[in-house]
Amino acid sequence: MRVLVITPVPPCPADHGNKVRLRTLITALESLGCSVEILVVDIFSSNLNEARKSYGSRLHSVTWQPPRRALQALKHQLIRLSSTKPCLSNIQLFFRQVRLLLASVLKTALSRAEMVYPVFGEYLVLPPGVKHSVQSLLAQQHFDIVVIEYAFLARRLPFIGSIFKVIDTIDADALCLKSLEREGLTGPKLLLKAEQERTILSQADVVIAIQ
């Protein structure tokens, strides 16, 4: 049986709980005789060297890069402004220019993105090549099962089609929010509300969660 695992984090180095869980899942599937391929949707600019050594050609990745021209403009603007004599007007201009340039980078990123997910008031942008990478893998190889790590990553993956889909939520967001609310705390925007989570998980044939 052939399995494709789609994840925003690499399975190694296993230096965080989510990576340990992912690596354990992959090892368990392999112990059952499954052939596992891994697609890392590299949102967090992870170091994939160790994962490539461990999994070789079975590890695939797609990485989102901010628009280079906008970043270069931001760099030159910061250098130019930092060379001026400090005064209140210069400082105000500096932050105004930085805000405008960052807004430009974000606007360009969102125009290229396939999915935008709110994180602490900011945005987590899914690389624009994800859909093509998944479809390319599915066209080149036969898979019986697709395992998607994290519910937010499954939000915009209906293009996987009729393949048996497993969502490994890592955390059950709605339960986390409920626990925080009991303590009088407000959960981060990263966590999905119950209705959002229910809609996303309804795409799956099987759902795995820690809680």
Side-chain angles (χ1 to χ4, degrees):
M1 187 170 290
R2 293 182 53 76
V3 180
L4 174 62
V5 176
I6 306 175
T7 170
V9 297
C12 50
D15 51 4
H16 289 85
N18 55 351
K19 294 182 181 180
V20 173
R21 177 176 171 80
L22 174 59
R23 188 161 190 169
T24 301
L25 175 64
I26 293 170
T27 301
L29 289 169
E30 290 175 333
S31 71
L32 294 172
C34 297
S35 174
V36 181
E37 301 272 330
I38 305 153
L39 173 62
V40 178
V41 179
D42 191 15
I43 298 168
F44 305 109
S45 299
S46 307
N47 187 336
L48 301 179
N49 291 338
E50 187 170 333
R52 293 194 190 285
K53 288 179 183 177
S54 298
Y55 296 98
S57 61
R58 293 188 295 130
L59 185 105
H60 313 269
S61 66
V62 56
T63 304
W64 176 77
Q65 294 291 340
R68 183 176 297 178
R69 184 178 300 173
L71 290 181
Q72 286 176 340
L74 176 60
K75 177 182 176 182
H76 292 317
Q77 188 71 12
L78 291 174
I79 292 172
R80 186 180 69 80
L81 290 173
S82 63
S83 65
T84 59
K85 292 181 180 180
C87 69
L88 182 60
S89 61
N90 284 338
I91 292 172
Q92 290 173 334
L93 175 63
F94 173 83
F95 283 110
R96 182 172 181 274
Q97 293 291 340
V98 169
R99 283 198 302 271
L100 289 173
L101 287 166
L102 288 178
S104 172
V105 172
L106 182 59
K107 182 178 179 181
T108 308
L110 300 188
S111 69
R112 297 174 53 201
E114 290 168 4
M115 183 274 284
V116 178
Y117 190 77
V119 181
F120 302 104
E122 300 299 331
Y123 290 94
L124 182 64
V125 183
L126 191 65
V130 172
K131 184 174 181 178
H132 176 266
S133 296
V134 173
Q135 290 178 328
S136 178
L137 277 173
L138 295 179
Q140 293 170 14
Q141 306 181 43
H142 167 75
F143 291 100
D144 302 289
I145 299 173
V146 172
V147 179
I148 305 167
E149 298 293 310
Y150 288 98
F152 78 82
L153 194 57
R155 175 175 267 179
R156 293 292 177 87
L157 295 180
F159 53 82
I160 290 175
S162 60
I163 297 176
F164 193 88
K165 291 182 281 293
V166 177
I167 297 178
D168 180 6
T169 70
I170 306 294
D171 295 305
D173 287 5
L175 294 181
C176 289
L177 279 174
K178 194 173 291 185
S179 298
L180 290 169
E181 288 168 359
R182 279 200 298 266
E183 300 297 326
L185 301 172
T186 302
K189 292 183 180 180
L190 175 64
L191 298 178
L192 296 165
K193 291 182 171 60
E195 289 184 10
Q196 294 174 309
E197 194 169 40
R198 189 180 300 113
T199 299
I200 293 169
L201 298 183
S202 67
Q203 299 180 50
D205 297 291
V206 170
V207 174
I208 308 170
I210 293 175
Q211 285 91 347

